[in-house]
Amino acid sequence: MRAFTYQRAASPAEAAAAALKTPGAKFIAGGTNLLDLMKLEIETPPHLIDVNGLGLDKIEPTKGGGLRIGALVRNTDLAADAKVRKDYAVLSRALLAGASGQLRNKATTAGNLLQRTRCPYFYDTNQACNKRLPGSGCSAIGGISRQHAVVGASTACIATHPSDMAVAMRLLDAKVETVRPNGQTRVIPIADFHRLPGTTPHIETSLQPGEFITAVTLPKPIGGTHIYTKVRDRASYAFALVSVAAVIQTDGTGRIALGGVAHKPWRVEAAEKELPRGAKAVSAKLFANAVPTPENRFKLTLAERTLAAALLEAKG
Amino acid sequence: MDDASDPDFNRRDVLVGTTASFALTGGGTAAAQPIAVSAPVVSKVAFRVNGKDQVLDLDLRTTLLDALREHLNLTGTKKGCDHGQCGACTVIVDGRRINACLSLAVMHEGDEITTIEGLGTPTDLHPMQAAFVKHDGYQCGYCTPGQICSAVAVLDEIKAGIPSHVTRDLTGTVELSPAEIRERMSGNICRCGAYSNIIDAIEDVAGVA
């Protein structure tokens, strides 16, 4: 691990200003992904800004009947919150399907959104990776790509976003609240938060330099039956090959978002209109522009079947 | 075995010395392209480990795991993967289990840390330690301290009503069951494969055996 300097921030605005002041500085909260990457020198921040003392660890009702989740609410606490379990069960389910108990005790809401891909070529510093070293190429393309993206990828990067939580947040139309180094705040719809790789896979979110996440808000509950179905190589503590988040209403309408298939949580609103016609029709719309590799083509079949299983479960 | 009690001397020192002499005689490209390394920054941190106050001056890069093992000589907590994947380093901080390898020591100012040494002693075993002995919940024993710390915290999590991936009804109470214990222990890998005996030990303590 490279040496770094360290400070504890006293306010969100101070944290943002400090991050802008030292190029390459990083916020650290749970640290479960950042320290992993620092040990491998994939991340080499010269300065760490500890944001744990900012009091952003509360879950509160919003005026609009939704919830404001502080950026530092731990994954364990968010999954266990009574209101989340009752009104946003898909979020609890997604969180509990991810990581281990030890990691969920440390990992935070904002940190979960910002975690990096687990593409093995991103993790291996001997391999070309446009995300780790822009312009160096992509060893995953033509490499071992069983876990990689099947849709929305580019010729520069076929990595997937690893988060389960983010898939549920996308389904629920969450909004990301931030403060910028100049003290201004803004709200980013989750649909605009994560980016597709395009020619700049190293730019993963719409956050500006120094911009600091203070909270994630959920709109008022939408009812329905909440499902999160995750398919992975072992029954627990593994990243998704495919995951399906679904909220299905009694009339058969609903929302669908997928994990494990793209560089960001994959939701296509037009596909949801096909829900009354079943998983095959929805899947056709979700993956209309899919470009799988020979090794991960199976994900298209797996996604359709996982979706069918989720819809069946929703019928009860 | 006297060396084991001396934190200043261990087998790794010998290995490091050997490696260094190879590097000197080997010459080569590393010396031709020196990597700019900024000087380590040292900081003071104070926390409480197994009921005892500790104040340490540490390189900021020191993980909680290395602080426990290398600076406090509490080598019960093990370093397995050092990347949060195996659970051998599991300790309990302010009542919650975490991977000590993925946490900077300096970020634990004022925290209350419990390691395997704090749960029980050879003459006064914690019930979970006694159950692992009774059920032979290990083979090589390397993952055992992490398994035991994790297991103690798992039973507390169930008692506190924290749900898991296998909890059927999120709005109901969380039931203590073998399935719940298995799911919650997935962050602790046992390379010897002693899982069935580990589960037996935890179920024994939990009273669901």
Side-chain angles (χ1 to χ4, degrees):
Chain A
M1 196 188 298
R2 302 278 179 89
F4 54 83
T5 51
Y6 169 87
Q7 76 176 96
R8 295 189 181 101
S11 73
E14 185 195 294
L20 190 67
K21 202 173 124 195
T22 310
K26 289 266 178 189
F27 304 119
I28 186 164
T32 53
N33 188 212
L34 181 57
L35 288 168
D36 176 28
L37 294 168
M38 285 170 66
K39 288 182 182 192
L40 297 166
E41 300 198 353
I42 293 163
E43 296 273 15
T44 54
H47 185 62
L48 287 183
I49 302 154
D50 183 343
V51 296
N52 283 290
L54 300 183
L56 302 172
D57 56 356
K58 293 167 191 69
I59 303 172
E60 300 162 321
T62 64
K63 281 180 193 158
L67 278 189
R68 175 172 286 103
I69 303 156
L72 291 157
V73 173
R74 308 288 153 173
N75 287 179
T76 296
D77 296 316
L78 184 54
D81 181 82
K83 285 190 282 300
V84 174
R85 285 156 77 172
K86 177 172 165 282
D87 294 330
Y88 307 94
V90 67
L91 178 56
S92 272
R93 289 287 182 204
L95 283 158
L96 295 171
S100 66
Q102 289 96 318
L103 291 169
R104 290 192 297 271
N105 280 343
K106 286 297 282 181
T108 62
T109 307
N112 191 315
L113 286 179
L114 294 173
Q115 64 177 309
R116 312 291 307 271
T117 185
R118 297 320 196 275
C119 171
Y121 298 97
F122 172 72
Y123 262 78
D124 182 348
T125 52
N126 294 304
Q127 302 284 345
C129 174
N130 287 319
K131 192 182 277 297
R132 174 167 35 76
L133 189 64
S136 63
C138 173
S139 293
I141 297 173
I144 297 168
S145 57
R146 181 174 173 271
Q147 299 170 313
H148 290 76
V150 292
V151 69
S154 72
T155 54
C157 179
I158 58 170
T160 55
H161 196 272
S163 172
D164 292 296
M165 185 199 81
V167 179
M169 291 291 196
R170 177 69 183 88
L171 189 82
L172 294 167
D173 285 332
K175 290 187 167 76
V176 181
E177 297 188 344
T178 71
V179 60
R180 294 199 251 192
N182 64 7
Q184 283 184 343
T185 59
R186 71 164 169 157
V187 177
I188 307 168
I190 191 81
D192 302 330
F193 184 80
H194 292 110
R195 295 161 50 106
L196 289 177
T199 57
T200 55
H202 60 293
I203 303 171
E204 295 170 346
T205 71
S206 54
L207 292 175
Q208 298 295 310
E211 189 167 7
F212 176 72
I213 299 173
T214 51
V216 177
T217 59
L218 297 176
K220 66 181 182 193
I222 55 171
T225 302
H226 290 224
I227 311 275
Y228 191 81
T229 305
K230 181 175 179 179
V231 182
R232 42 187 161 172
D233 284 333
R234 56 184 183 196
S236 183
Y237 196 22
F239 290 97
L241 287 167
V242 167
S243 66
V244 172
V247 173
I248 305 298
Q249 307 295 341
T250 46
D251 64 0
T253 63
R255 301 180 186 184
I256 302 288
L258 274 73
V261 297
H263 197 259
K264 63 182 201 174
W266 195 247
R267 184 173 174 206
V268 178
E269 274 83 346
E272 293 168 0
K273 294 196 170 58
E274 301 293 324
L275 270 170
R277 279 173 287 283
K280 198 176 184 65
V282 176
S283 200
K285 278 274 197 298
L286 278 170
F287 296 110
N289 299 312
V291 185
T293 71
E295 289 193 0
N296 68 19
R297 184 173 296 278
F298 77 95
K299 282 193 179 185
L300 298 176
T301 312
L302 185 62
E304 185 185 317
R305 290 177 181 171
T306 308
L307 181 56
L311 297 180
L312 195 65
E313 189 184 337
K315 279 185 184 166
Chain B
M1 288 303 288
D2 286 348
D3 291 347
S5 61
D6 178 2
D8 296 328
F9 181 81
N10 57 36
R11 273 173 295 178
R12 195 172 309 121
D13 291 333
V14 180
L15 290 173
V16 168
T18 312
T19 312
S21 62
F22 274 118
L24 285 171
T25 52
T29 53
Q33 293 174 309
I35 297 167
V37 178
S38 43
V41 184
V42 174
S43 180
K44 193 178 287 296
V45 63
F47 44 54
R48 203 168 162 81
V49 183
N50 300 331
K52 198 173 160 194
D53 289 325
Q54 301 284 356
V55 182
L56 297 170
D57 288 305
L58 297 173
D59 183 324
L60 282 176
R61 294 172 290 184
T62 312
T63 60
L64 177 60
L65 174 61
D66 287 340
L68 293 169
R69 288 182 54 84
E70 309 294 334
H71 296 266
L72 297 174
N73 205 26
L74 291 168
T75 53
T77 307
K78 297 295 186 267
K79 182 179 282 192
C81 68
D82 209 24
H83 285 275
Q85 296 173 8
C86 77
C89 67
T90 303
V91 297
I92 300 169
V93 177
D94 292 341
R96 288 199 163 184
R97 58 183 170 141
I98 67 163
N99 299 114
C101 75
L102 284 186
S103 201
L104 294 174
V106 71
M107 293 173 71
H108 288 282
E109 180 71 33
D111 283 357
E112 180 89 37
I113 298 148
T114 303
T115 70
I116 190 71
E117 292 94 340
L119 283 181
T121 64
T123 53
D124 184 21
L125 293 175
H126 184 280
M128 192 65 77
Q129 291 171 313
F132 269 65
V133 173
K134 177 182 164 194
H135 292 277
D136 203 15
Y138 40 75
Q139 186 174 316
C140 80
Y142 196 78
C143 71
T144 312
Q147 299 277 3
I148 291 175
C149 284
S150 202
V152 168
V154 159
L155 297 186
D156 287 344
E157 285 165 18
I158 294 173
K159 206 174 288 176
I162 294 170
S164 85
H165 178 59
V166 300
T167 305
R168 285 186 194 282
D169 179 8
L170 281 181
T171 54
T173 54
V174 179
E175 307 277 343
L176 179 60
S177 70
E180 284 282 359
I181 294 170
R182 281 166 192 267
E183 160 60 23
R184 290 165 195 265
M185 289 298 293
S186 70
N188 292 83
I189 309 297
C190 172
R191 186 66 185 79
C192 301
Y195 295 111
S196 62
N197 290 0
I198 290 170
I199 295 296
D200 286 349
I202 303 170
E203 288 177 4
D204 193 347
V205 175
V208 293

